[in-house]
Amino acid sequence: MVEFIKDLILHFSIILSLGFMYNFLWMQKRSVYKKQVFKMAILAALLMTMALPVRFHGGMEFDLKLVPVFIAFFYLSRTDSFLLVAVLLLLQGFVGIDKLPVTAVNYLVILILFFSIEKLYKNTTVNKKIALGLFVYGMITTTRLAAMINADKAEGYLYLLVFSLVSFVALSVTIYIIEMTNLQLKLMHELHKAEKFSAISQLAASVAHEIRNPMTTIRGFMQVLQGEKNLNDNQNLFITISLQELDRTQTIIDNFLSLAKPNTGSMAKIDLSELLKETIDFMRSYSHLANTELVEAIDKNLCINGDAHEIRQVFINILKNGIEAMPSGGSIYIIAKVDKNNVRIQFRDEGVGMNKEQLDRLGHPYYSTKEKGTGLGMMISFDIIQRMRGRINVESAEGKGTTFTILLPCE
Ligand code: ADP
Ligand code: MG
């Protein structure tokens, strides 16, 4: 019994060290070869747990090799987990070749199981991930129990139960630590982005403001000149054009200042269905010019709380980007409907798409791949959605297209 508890504690620590290792590596600011080091750590954990199995009453042995495979599959890559299983089988050949066929079949089934839950696992909450871990462990424990009953080793039941429980707790804690590390990293990243954005927008707003003053002076003098009597027709025309151009510049700056304004001005109930339709109609001629089509499926009476001017700006930015992403034509599909307590608006284009790195940079100030791009459209749009307490999600595949999904709380 003492031996058993000792073994158990040892295995528990081996597995737990994986979680702490992950946290330590991923929190490093310097570039350490975190993936490589973590792979080595997983390999080491596998070797240790296989070399020092937990001995049961009556000569049965168990180890925790499933956990490293689990972590490798869901937190490194499929290839890594295959390699790990290959190493595992090789080792099994050394420590007990008679068990090799059973182990091979077991891990084949486990990998198939992992494949079938992979998508679900990657898109769910921490608690549900732990529940999935429990599900996997439950299956394993059941098969082990069946094997025990078959071999008629009734005295091992309690050991098996305790062992499975401890393994499951070790796996859960490891998943929890890894997930919390990832969450913390994400928050740090968002914070960094938010800081950068607020600094830049403040700076830009102050520059725009500074430009306004000298422009007012110029405009004043121009008006005085226009009042002169002995000007010829050409001079009159030039002054009129100059005044018009100054007014245009003024409007651009005013628009920009209103966008850079830190908080929403007028929050009101908006009929989003109407607003979206209007905006799409407004963009239609631009889209025809670019040989693209806007296809809409918009439910009626979708209402939100917000600033109509701002939300229209977001739609225009996304539509414009979508059109620009399809140089050889295509369609943008716009779907709007209610989703639980939110209005869900989806824009899907068939354009050039973005790779992961580009997707990460989307929304950063001045990030643009276009010759005449400003790299401000997405930054402003993300900010507007965030201030309306909404969420925006972007999925993209290079060469296939991009989907923007916006969720805004219903009014
Ligand atoms: P701009 O349009 O002025 O370049 P944005 O902030 O609107 O600035 O967009 C930033 C960059 O993100 C674009 O230059 C483009 O590379 C990329 N991008 C945005 N939307 C899409 C899209 N629908 N498809 C492909 N790339 C896109
Ligand atoms: Mg743009």
Side-chain angles (χ1 to χ4, degrees), residues 317-318 320-325 349 351-354 358 361-364 367-370 372-380 396 401-404:
N317 284 339
I318 293 178
K320 190 162 167 287
N321 281 344
I323 293 167
E324 287 163 351
D349 69 51
V352 292
M354 287 171 271
Q358 292 169 323
R361 295 189 63 189
L362 187 70
H364 283 231
Y367 168 65
S368 175
T369 54
K370 297 167 196 164
K372 285 190 178 156
T374 59
L376 292 173
M378 279 298 112
M379 176 190 72
I380 289 172
S396 192
T402 308
T403 306
F404 287 85

Side-chain angles (χ1 to χ4, degrees), residues 187-365:
L187 289 180
M188 263 155 56
H189 187 72
E190 299 266 301
L191 197 71
H192 193 74
K193 226 156 98 172
E195 261 166 28
K196 204 153 132 191
F197 168 68
S198 82
I200 298 250
S201 75
Q202 274 169 12
L203 223 67
S206 75
V207 170
H209 196 76
E210 286 303 317
I211 293 174
R212 259 210 302 212
N213 294 338
M215 272 194 14
T216 320
T217 319
I218 296 171
R219 197 175 194 291
F221 285 138
M222 284 287 191
Q223 266 175 327
V224 175
L225 273 183
Q226 204 178 26
E228 285 287 315
K229 290 200 180 63
N230 46 2
L231 292 177
N232 63 31
D233 282 354
N234 261 347
Q235 287 168 329
N236 249 323
L237 182 67
F238 293 159
I239 291 175
T240 313
I241 294 175
S242 299
L243 280 171
Q244 278 169 0
E245 291 294 291
L246 275 176
D247 287 342
R248 207 163 69 92
T249 318
Q250 186 77 44
T251 327
I252 294 173
I253 292 178
D254 286 347
N255 277 344
F256 175 71
L257 278 177
S258 76
L259 282 178
K261 228 177 13 202
N263 48 12
T264 11
S266 48
M267 295 284 274
K269 185 176 168 178
I270 306 170
D271 183 343
L272 195 83
S273 313
E274 281 304 307
L275 184 80
L276 188 55
K277 278 195 185 129
E278 257 174 50
T279 315
I280 293 171
D281 286 340
F282 170 73
M283 291 299 286
R284 209 150 249 140
S285 53
Y286 181 72
S287 99
H288 280 319
L289 274 181
N291 204 12
T292 55
E293 220 189 327
L294 305 180
V295 185
E296 52 176 83
I298 301 166
D299 283 358
K300 283 204 166 62
N301 302 325
L302 303 171
C303 289
I304 59 155
N305 220 336
D307 181 329
H309 171 79
E310 289 198 323
I311 192 84
R312 184 182 292 122
Q313 190 68 44
V314 174
F315 295 156
I316 291 176
N317 284 339
I318 293 178
L319 287 170
K320 190 162 167 287
N321 281 344
I323 293 167
E324 287 163 351
M326 300 189 287
S328 44
S331 303
I332 302 182
Y333 299 91
I334 305 125
I335 302 168
K337 57 178 162 204
V338 172
D339 178 359
K340 291 180 194 144
N341 294 324
N342 293 306
V343 177
R344 179 198 192 91
I345 313 135
Q346 199 168 59
F347 298 85
R348 180 164 63 84
D349 69 51
E350 305 171 322
V352 292
M354 287 171 271
N355 62 28
K356 196 176 170 307
E357 195 204 337
Q358 292 169 323
L359 207 55
D360 275 344
R361 295 189 63 189
L362 187 70
H364 283 231

